[in-house]
Amino acid sequence: QVQLVESGGGLVQPGGSLRLSCAASGSIFSINVMGWYRQAPGKERELVASMSNTGDTNYLSSVKGRFTVSRDNARNTVYLQMYSLNPEDTAVYYCHILNGGWSGDHYWGQGTQVTVSS
C-alpha cells in the first residue's frame, strides 16, 4: 500500500505563487512516476505535471513555463512550484503516483484546493 500526503494549497491572488508538496510512504518502487493532476468544477481531471524517477517530465501545455515539477527521490516526495497563477488554475490538485513500470499500481492523494482570486 502507498499513502500520499499533500500540502501547500490555498488562496492566492492572480500573478501569485504557490508550492505544493506530496510525500509518499509505504512500498514505493524505485521505478515510478509521480506528479499532479487537477480538476476544476465542471471539468475533467487533467494531468498538470509529472516526473519519472529518471527525471523525464510531462506538462500540461497551459502551465508549461509557469509550473515546475521536481522530486526528491530519497524521500519519495514530489513538488509543484507554481508561478504566475491565474484564475483558470483554480482547481483541486491531486498528487498521483504510478508505482512501478507499465504494470504498476496507481495511488492518489486526497486533493488540495488551489484558489486564484482577487
Side-chain angles (χ1 to χ4, degrees):
Q1 293 293 320
V2 173
Q3 297 79 43
L4 301 174
V5 180
E6 300 151 312
S7 63
L11 175 65
V12 65
Q13 293 184 339
S17 63
L18 284 173
R19 180 179 169 90
L20 306 182
S21 299
C22 174
S25 61
S27 300
I28 309 299
F29 294 137
S30 59
I31 299 175
N32 64 70
V33 180
M34 297 186 70
W36 300 88
Y37 288 71
R38 71 184 183 187
Q39 188 167 24
K43 299 287 188 177
E44 299 293 321
R45 187 173 297 187
E46 61 186 355
L47 175 67
V48 178
S50 65
M51 179 178 283
S52 73
N53 59 285
T54 59
D56 294 327
T57 58
N58 193 24
Y59 288 94
L60 181 67
S61 60
S62 63
V63 309
K64 194 169 185 178
R66 299 187 297 119
F67 293 6
T68 301
V69 64
S70 61
R71 56 186 286 167
D72 183 339
N73 290 338
R75 295 167 178 80
N76 295 316
T77 301
V78 64
Y79 307 92
L80 185 66
Q81 179 66 60
M82 303 183 291
Y83 293 111
S84 301
L85 286 162
N86 59 62
E88 289 69 46
D89 297 315
T90 296
V92 177
Y93 285 69
Y94 296 91
C95 185
H96 170 265
I97 183 170
L98 173 59
N99 193 31
W102 63 271
S103 61
D105 294 323
H106 296 261
Y107 296 91
W108 297 88
Q110 64 182 353
T112 184
Q113 178 71 47
V114 172
T115 301
V116 185
S117 176
S118 298

